[in-house]
Every structure is written in C-alpha cells, then in structure tokens.
Amino acid sequence: MNGLDWLHDESPIDDPAGHGERAVRALRKLKHPKSTLPGKAFQLDPWQERIVRRIYGPKNEHGGRLVRTVYLQAPKGSRKTSIAAGLGLLHTFGPEKIERGGNVVAAADRKQGRIAFEEALSIVETQAALSGKARPVDSRNRIIHVPSGSRFEAISSDAPTQHGRTPQFILVDELWAHKKPDLFHALRTGATKTAGSLLVIATTAGRGNESPD
C-alpha cells in the first residue's frame, strides 16, 4: 500500500490469521463512560478501524505481526487518547495479552501520564466482565490483569530512568513535547528485546516539528 488512500477506501487489508478482525471485535466489545453511542459502546470510526486492522492483520512468513512501528498523526477531537488506551488494553486484557506482559504509555510529564492512566482506568471500570480481574495501583498509574499478571502503566519522561524495561506495547504520546530523548530511546531499545512488540508514536496533527534528538 502506498500513501494514505487505504485509510478511506474499501481496499482489502490482509488478515490471514484473523487477528485484525479479532482486535476490532475486542475493541467494539468495550464500553466508554463518555461515549454517546447506545450502551456507552466504544466509538471506533471507519478510519480508526482500518488502522487497527492494518496493525494486527498482516503477517510475515513466520506468522508474526508484520507491523511493529506505527506513526499516528491525528487531528484534535479524534479521541486519540481513547484509541491509544484501547490499544493498550488489547495487550493488557484482550487477545494480544501475554503472560506478565508490560504495556506502557509514555507521556511528556506526570500530568499527561495521569490523563492516559485515568482514560484506561475509566474504560476498565466500565467493563463488567473485568470485575475482580483488574487491580489498579493508583500510586503507580498502573492497572494489572490479575489472572495473567499483564500490566498497563502510564509513565513520563520526567520520571527517574526507565532503562531495563522490555515492554510488549509502547505508546509514545506527543513525542514532540518530550524534553529529553532518554525515555523514548530506553523504551525503543527494550522493545527490540521483546518478540512481537508494538511501538506506536501518536501526535496531534499540526504538531510534531519539535522533537527530542
């Protein structure tokens, strides 16, 4: 696929193992407390659904996920934080989770990191099926899936060193706003040590000309 036409056309997206469809179904089963859809259903617009299918559908010759790095530039009002939290929850509570998997949202500062954490927590608390299976650790901006030990955590670039992490899923929120490159480099290095890891860099459209070195 060349360019971005595939985002809005109806061209087929490879999904030999059905994992793209599986991810979309899992997201559509979620509820969001601020959703205006019937039953508080998680909103997934057509272009967002195609991104999800493009991430999780295509496979390499060994059956592994072909997409390992995603750059997502979205306009204001596109619910970027909700989609980001949803992807993180796919890897923490959903079909992409692994035993004791680490899944992080990396924000520029503690305040932004807290927003990402509360967004994910609000979605989790709306899911009756997760009652008793999710354990929030408020002081660490962390949510744990108790049966598997998989965890979702919001961290910030102004926190102490994050070297040594080997995350499965990483979302770097507004990379341009990170004052130092240390956190991004540490997480990217850790991800290369984890089979099937996914790095998503998300930024608001019109921003991103400034970034850490």
Side-chain angles (χ1 to χ4, degrees), residues 26-208:
L27 287 173
R28 291 199 181 282
K29 287 181 180 179
L30 295 177
K31 297 181 183 297
H32 194 293
K34 296 181 181 179
S35 174
T36 58
L37 296 178
K40 299 291 185 180
F42 188 90
Q43 185 172 344
L44 193 64
D45 293 339
W47 67 272
Q48 296 166 331
E49 176 180 330
R50 287 184 66 79
I51 288 175
V52 173
R53 291 184 183 278
R54 183 66 181 84
I55 292 172
Y56 296 102
K59 302 293 182 181
N60 61 30
E61 63 272 22
H62 304 295
R65 184 167 21 82
L66 193 62
V67 174
R68 298 286 302 276
T69 302
V70 177
Y71 179 79
L72 174 62
Q73 189 167 354
K76 289 184 177 180
S78 62
R79 305 179 320 282
K80 176 172 63 67
T81 302
S82 294
I83 295 299
L87 293 179
L89 296 178
L90 282 181
H91 290 262
T92 310
F93 297 92
E96 297 294 327
K97 72 176 179 295
I98 62 173
E99 196 76 13
R100 302 187 66 79
N103 309 291
V104 301
V105 174
D109 54 42
R110 291 176 178 83
K111 181 178 179 180
Q112 189 65 31
R114 183 69 187 181
I115 291 172
F117 168 75
E118 291 180 351
E119 183 75 13
L121 181 60
S122 71
I123 296 173
V124 169
E125 289 180 338
T126 311
Q127 317 309 310
L130 293 180
S131 178
K133 296 181 180 178
R135 187 176 77 223
V137 183
D138 191 73
S139 62
R140 300 291 297 274
N141 290 347
R142 178 184 295 173
I143 311 168
I144 300 171
H145 179 247
V146 176
S148 70
S150 181
R151 63 194 180 280
F152 174 98
E153 184 174 9
I155 59 178
S156 60
S157 60
D158 58 359
T161 180
Q162 301 288 344
H163 286 283
R165 289 178 178 268
T166 53
Q168 180 201 15
F169 170 85
I170 304 165
L171 182 120
V172 180
D173 189 23
E174 304 289 6
L175 179 60
W176 64 271
H178 291 230
K179 303 304 182 185
K180 298 179 181 179
D182 305 50
L183 177 60
F184 174 67
H185 291 325
L187 292 174
R188 184 172 60 178
T189 299
T192 63
K193 302 174 183 178
T194 305
S197 62
L198 175 64
L199 169 64
V200 179
I201 302 168
T203 187
T204 304
R207 309 303 293 265

